Amino acid sequence: MARNKSILTEARQIERAVTLIQLGARLQVLESETDLSYERLLRLYKEVAGKSPSKGQLPFSTDWFMTWQPNIHASLFLNIHEYLNKVSELDEIDVVIKAYQLYLEQTQSQALEPLLSVTRAWRLVKFVDNGMLTLTKCSCCGGHFVTHPYEIAKHYVCGMCNPPARAGKGKLAGALQIPPAPGRVAADAAAHAH
Amino acid sequence: MTADQILAEIREANLSYLMLAQSLIRVDTEQALYRLGISEDTAKLIGALTPAQMMKIAASNTLLCRFRMDDDIVWGLLTSHGKAAANESVNRLHASILLAGRHQEAA
């Protein structure tokens, strides 16, 4: 790739890279989204994050986005992303950054763990661009949710209109929870007593 | 509430709204478009308003901003009057997803 000669462009790219690092992006994201050299990115990463970047492959599976809770987070992010895409003219990576910041705010305001990392969010946008994932309209609430592209749109019902049996039973702090139906509480209490 | 009080309160609300909108737009225009649910052209206009203009626009007997949802689904989710199965934070996320999906009004 031809090295960028413009200092202004480079300054903008460094600024972008710093924002991404602060949001917790993996080095591969920076490599793909800026023209800065690997060595410079590595130095920048250590300077901003105060530690060496994590090694290893990026999460590559689309299945993660299909499980109940991640799907809700991913759908929220992607809806924000689409919104920004429609109303403004930004570079692709800037849309990801701004949408991710808005997503973080939303989870913070509800004291939820932001399950979707910025790296995953970036991957999600790539998956959608490549047609490996898409947004499908829920036939029940009309919202748009992340699905595989071959989902039958006419009958699709989202995980919030129709939560799967085990959904919302996790006890982790910051996780989405669905309280059990009143009848179940007594049964659970009885089970715990033994 | 007397008529004078009503007018004063509306002016106050309008002015706060305009000032907040303007600072949001100046901090980050694109994110402000999402937060406010307005079009880029409107954002440009609001961003360029002078204080005197704002005072003039705010002094009115109607509010300048209105609700972004007018359907039972989102209202039901936000007020938790809908389904009993899901809890409040799931409902709020659900409402956010539905609202974020509505860019037709803004664009």
Side-chain angles (χ1 to χ4, degrees), chain B residues 2-107:
Chain B
T2 67
D4 279 350
Q5 271 175 321
I6 290 174
L7 286 179
E9 299 252 350
I10 290 177
R11 190 179 59 225
E12 198 89 339
N14 278 339
L15 200 57
S16 317
Y17 175 75
L18 283 173
M19 282 163 62
L20 174 65
Q22 193 173 60
S23 33
L24 289 178
I25 291 164
R26 286 180 180 171
V27 170
D28 190 316
T29 311
E30 290 78 20
Q31 289 186 338
L33 296 181
Y34 173 78
R35 293 186 208 274
L36 297 165
I38 57 176
S39 70
E40 210 170 0
D41 296 334
T42 314
K44 256 183 214 149
L45 281 172
I46 296 177
L49 287 178
T50 64
Q53 281 176 313
M54 275 203 251
M55 297 286 284
K56 234 183 269 174
I57 302 169
S60 160
N61 62 347
T62 51
L63 281 167
L64 290 169
C65 51
R66 62 184 180 90
F67 282 112
R68 293 170 71 175
M69 58 284 192
D70 48 13
D71 56 320
D72 291 345
I73 296 182
V74 177
W75 273 116
L77 289 169
L78 287 173
T79 51
S80 291
H81 288 324
K83 290 177 304 169
N87 80 343
E88 198 195 314
S89 94
V90 177
N91 284 344
R92 272 181 62 194
L93 268 188
H94 199 170
S96 306
I97 292 175
L98 292 182
L99 283 176
R102 296 179 184 174
H103 33 67
Q104 306 89 323
E105 299 115 55

Side-chain angles (χ1 to χ4, degrees), chain A residues 16-34:
Chain A
R16 225 178 244 169
V18 169
T19 313
L20 281 168
I21 296 168
Q22 283 166 344
L23 290 173
R26 297 276 299 267
L27 207 59
Q28 288 94 324
V29 181
L30 308 176
E31 274 187 273
S32 159
E33 296 299 337
T34 65

Side-chain angles (χ1 to χ4, degrees), chain A residues 33-70:
Chain A
E33 296 299 337
T34 65
D35 297 331
L36 305 170
S37 71
Y38 178 79
E39 290 73 27
R40 298 193 69 192
L41 283 175
L42 197 62
R43 267 173 50 202
L44 189 67
Y45 195 101
K46 285 180 182 161
E47 216 171 306
V48 175
K51 60 179 169 72
S52 295
S54 351
K55 294 196 177 65
Q57 281 196 318
L58 292 186
F60 56 85
S61 161
T62 55
D63 291 340
W64 184 85
F65 298 102
M66 294 301 123
T67 42
W68 185 68
Q69 215 177 150

Side-chain angles (χ1 to χ4, degrees), chain A residues 34-150:
Chain A
T34 65
D35 297 331
L36 305 170
S37 71
Y38 178 79
E39 290 73 27
R40 298 193 69 192
L41 283 175
L42 197 62
R43 267 173 50 202
L44 189 67
Y45 195 101
K46 285 180 182 161
E47 216 171 306
V48 175
K51 60 179 169 72
S52 295
S54 351
K55 294 196 177 65
Q57 281 196 318
L58 292 186
F60 56 85
S61 161
T62 55
D63 291 340
W64 184 85
F65 298 102
M66 294 301 123
T67 42
W68 185 68
Q69 215 177 150
N71 186 260
I72 293 169
H73 284 251
S75 298
L76 176 62
F77 166 78
L78 202 57
N79 272 295
I80 299 174
H81 183 272
E82 292 296 292
Y83 192 107
L84 292 184
N85 236 344
K86 291 267 159 54
V87 297
S88 63
E89 288 157 14
L90 288 167
D91 285 346
E92 216 173 295
I93 186 64
D94 289 330
V95 183
V96 174
I97 292 173
K98 284 175 196 275
Y100 190 73
Q101 285 167 338
L102 288 168
Y103 158 78
L104 278 186
E105 280 177 5
Q106 177 85 44
T107 53
Q108 259 164 30
S109 73
Q110 283 187 239
L112 292 170
E113 188 68 29
L115 276 189
L116 188 76
S117 69
V118 70
T119 307
R120 272 232 159 82
W122 172 77
R123 274 311 273 237
L124 173 61
V125 173
K126 298 271 172 218
F127 282 143
V128 173
D129 286 347
N130 295 336
M132 291 167 75
L133 289 174
T134 189
L135 280 173
T136 302
K137 193 172 174 178
C138 168
S139 60
C140 185
C141 67
H144 294 81
F145 292 82
V146 177
T147 61
H148 287 301
Y150 47 75

